[in-house]
């Protein structure tokens, strides 16, 4: 008997000893049996041929179809290109997951991908590519959405990989919305001065809002007693009370909001309060000159005067060694 086996993995099967029927050696109907045990992974085919002691050859040599033994459990692994999260699971850039399945007899239809996405942000799955037993695909999470992601796989032989899952995270590519109303930028005001800051974002957090108010002369203002906060859907409204008495100055109001993913928006306005007359602002160079007290380098002094109403009378004086001098427009200043 000639049994010839081919196996892509090279491991040969076990052939058991022969057993014979009771009429062996007496009748052509005698049967002789052996088992071929294919226990190792591989792609097999085999042939069986036989010649008896009288040199009669079998009229129907056997040729098998190709078949596969696969007892190896597939392995799933997942890696992400972006692991820079804020607040645990929020990402301000798209994420891609590279899925790798180690499997000799890969079957793409055996992959069960489980994803959910809010706001219509369905992930995109690339086609599978393979190199040997390694098979990879890329899943892109590229829209604003709350995602979940899991994966399972069963190979052609029915071996099931340990399932992967479930990841849960949020992709947020959008900066928060922020506006300052109630006071116009670069405006002079002698009436009600009550700025209103409005913020909104899908992934808003109250801890992400910061506000600073600085006066040209008064410096940084403590605003805690000046503002009230109210929640709105996906955001917050911060309202200033009307600026009180003796608040004349030139102000810079800056509002900043940062969402859960780290996206941020900043708005700044400058305005003046002029209920008691003009407000004045020194240029940075003039302010430095006054701070330094002494100079041997004559420089121009630059002063900004702001008033709601048209200026009808201007007078500039200085004192030198106790003598007061009135400057002439066009000659001493412009």
């Amino acid at each position: 008997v000639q049994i010839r086996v081919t196996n892509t993995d090279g491991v040969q099967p076990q052939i058991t000893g022969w057993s014979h029927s009771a009429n062996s050696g007496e009748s052509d109907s005698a049967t002789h049996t052996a088992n071929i045990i294919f226990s190792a992974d591989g792609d097999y085919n085999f042939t069986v041929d036989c010649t008896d002691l009288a040199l009669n050859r079998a009229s129907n040599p056997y040729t098998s179809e190709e078949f596969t033994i696969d007892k190896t459990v597939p392995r799933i692994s997942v890696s992400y290109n972006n692991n820079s999260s804020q607040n645990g699971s929020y990402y301000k850039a798209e994420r891609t997951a590279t899925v790798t399945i180690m499997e000799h007899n890969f079957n793409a239809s055996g992959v069960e991908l489980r994803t959910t996405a809010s706001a219509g942000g369905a992930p995109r799955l690339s086609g599978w590519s393979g190199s040997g037993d390694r098979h990879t695909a890329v899943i892109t999470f590229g829209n604003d959405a709350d995602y979940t992601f899991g994966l399972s796989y069963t190979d052609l032989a029915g071996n099931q990989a340990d399932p992967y899952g479930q990841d849960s995270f949020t992709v947020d590519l959008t900066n928060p919305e922020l506006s300052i109303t109630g006071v116009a930028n670069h405006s002079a005001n002698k009436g009600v001065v009550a700025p209103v800051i409005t913020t909104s974002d899908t992934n808003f957090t109250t801890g992400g809002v910061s506000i600073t108010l600085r006066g040209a002369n008064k410096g940084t203002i403590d605003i805690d007693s000046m503002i009230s906060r109210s929640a709105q859907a996906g955001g917050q409204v911060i309202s200033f009370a009307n600026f009180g008495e003796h608040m004349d100055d030139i102000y810079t109001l800056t509002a900043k909001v940062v969402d859960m993913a780290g996206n941020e928006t900043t708005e700044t306005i400058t305005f003046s309060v002029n209920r008691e007359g003009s407000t004045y602002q020194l240029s940075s160079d003039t302010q430095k000159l006054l701070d330094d007290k002494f100079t041997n380098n004559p420089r121009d002094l630059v002063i900004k005067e702001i008033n709601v109403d048209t200026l009808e009378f201007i007078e500039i004086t200085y004192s030198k060694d106790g003598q007061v001098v009135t400057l002439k427009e066009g000659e001493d200043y412009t």
Side-chain angles (χ1 to χ4, degrees):
V1 179
Q2 296 87 38
I3 300 174
R4 296 181 176 87
V5 180
T6 61
N7 177 10
T8 53
D9 291 358
V11 179
Q12 291 297 300
Q14 175 189 357
I15 302 175
T16 66
W18 289 90
S19 61
H20 310 281
S21 64
N23 59 348
S24 176
E26 300 175 1
S27 168
D28 282 341
S29 64
T31 58
H32 312 271
T33 304
N35 290 324
I36 307 175
I37 301 173
F38 300 89
S39 59
D41 283 11
D43 300 319
Y44 292 92
N45 56 48
F46 69 96
T47 61
V48 181
D49 200 358
C50 180
T51 303
D52 67 14
L53 291 174
L55 301 183
N56 297 299
R57 185 178 177 185
S59 60
N60 58 338
Y62 176 81
T63 300
S64 73
E65 295 181 351
E66 185 175 281
F67 61 93
T68 298
I69 300 296
D70 182 357
K71 300 189 294 183
T72 302
V73 175
R75 300 193 310 275
I76 299 172
S77 62
V78 176
S79 62
Y80 288 94
N81 71 322
N82 174 15
N83 293 306
S84 300
S85 65
Q86 297 287 328
N87 296 294
S89 60
Y90 290 83
Y91 298 82
K92 66 178 182 178
E94 76 172 24
R95 298 189 89 193
T96 59
T98 299
V99 178
T100 301
I101 297 179
M102 295 299 296
E103 165 60 38
H104 184 69
N105 300 293
F106 182 71
N107 172 31
S109 63
V111 177
E112 182 184 353
L113 179 64
R114 302 180 301 277
T115 62
T116 64
S118 65
R124 303 186 301 274
L125 174 65
S126 72
W128 290 91
S129 61
S131 176
D133 290 351
R134 180 184 296 272
H135 307 273
T136 60
V138 174
I139 305 171
T140 302
F141 304 90
N143 299 309
D144 284 16
D146 300 322
Y147 292 100
T148 64
F149 163 57
L151 185 76
S152 59
Y153 173 72
T154 303
D155 69 16
L156 289 168
N159 299 301
Q160 293 183 341
D162 289 337
Y164 179 87
Q166 158 171 299
D167 289 344
S168 177
F169 57 89
T170 297
V171 172
D172 183 352
L173 312 176
T174 305
N175 289 333
E177 295 182 2
L178 172 62
S179 65
I180 302 176
T181 58
V183 178
N185 192 25
H186 298 131
S187 66
N189 306 271
K190 65 179 179 181
V192 174
V193 180
V196 177
I197 300 167
T198 304
T199 66
S200 65
D201 188 84
T202 301
N203 298 298
F204 175 80
T205 173
T206 56
V209 179
S210 59
I211 302 169
T212 58
L213 179 67
R214 182 173 180 81
N217 300 302
K218 297 181 183 299
T220 301
I221 309 296
D222 183 356
I223 64 172
D224 287 345
S225 62
M226 299 176 64
I227 63 173
S228 61
R229 301 174 186 262
S230 60
Q232 66 170 7
Q236 190 178 63
V237 177
I238 300 98
S239 302
F240 278 80
N242 185 27
F243 281 42
E245 295 182 357
H246 310 302
M247 288 289 289
D248 279 19
D249 205 342
I250 302 167
Y251 293 98
T252 300
L253 174 61
T254 300
K256 177 180 176 182
V257 58
V258 183
D259 65 17
M260 293 287 285
N263 301 298
E264 65 180 61
T265 301
T266 301
E267 292 289 338
T268 299
I269 65 170
T270 299
F271 60 93
S272 69
V273 178
N274 304 101
R275 297 195 184 100
E276 301 168 1
S278 297
T279 54
Y280 297 92
Q281 184 177 27
L282 304 179
S283 71
S284 58
D285 188 58
T286 299
Q287 184 65 59
K288 184 176 186 304
L289 179 62
L290 296 181
D291 291 341
D292 291 344
K293 304 296 185 184
F294 294 90
T295 183
N296 61 2
N297 176 27
R299 283 174 283 177
D300 290 340
L301 306 182
V302 180
I303 304 169
K304 179 184 290 186
E305 180 175 7
I306 298 175
N307 198 303
V308 178
D309 301 315
T310 301
L311 300 176
E312 296 183 352
F313 173 78
I314 300 173
E315 181 178 79
I316 303 176
T317 62
Y318 74 87
S319 64
K320 175 184 177 185
D321 297 331
Q323 181 180 358
V324 177
V325 178
T326 300
L327 278 67
K328 297 179 181 179
E329 185 174 0
E331 184 176 322
D332 300 315
Y333 74 90
T334 57

